[in-house]
Amino acid sequence: MSEKNVDLTERMQKIGETVSEYKDKLVSTFKDMEVEVKDWHFAVGKAEKEYTVEVSLKLTVKPKPQPQT
């Protein structure tokens, strides 16, 4: 396998890790709120010598419920 060949499986795993890091960053930014990943996915297309990667991420960010007194 030449160095120019792309190991897509490994790179797709990296995209998954990046999404997870992004969510963790949002959680730390909105410490007083709930952050939930509602949906995420990605698609890969190939045309001749290039790949197109589409990433979609849907999050909900909402206030944490107040404890009842």
Side-chain angles (χ1 to χ4, degrees):
M1 185 181 287
S2 90
E3 290 182 25
K4 291 184 179 184
N5 287 343
V6 178
D7 182 356
L8 282 181
T9 302
E10 182 178 325
R11 304 260 173 121
M12 293 302 107
Q13 289 173 344
K14 289 287 186 186
I15 290 173
E17 291 171 15
T18 302
V19 169
S20 180
E21 290 170 11
Y22 179 70
K23 182 205 177 251
D24 292 345
K25 182 66 175 172
L26 281 173
V27 168
S28 69
T29 301
F30 295 100
K31 290 179 184 178
D32 59 337
M33 304 186 87
E34 289 183 8
V35 179
E36 181 181 352
V37 176
K38 288 304 234 178
D39 189 21
W40 79 278
H41 53 86
F42 55 87
V44 178
K46 183 176 187 298
E48 296 193 22
K49 295 183 180 184
E50 68 181 32
Y51 293 89
T52 302
V53 179
E54 181 179 343
V55 180
S56 174
L57 175 65
K58 188 182 292 188
L59 299 171
T60 59
V61 179
K62 60 186 176 184
K64 288 185 178 180
Q66 296 297 319
Q68 295 181 352
T69 54

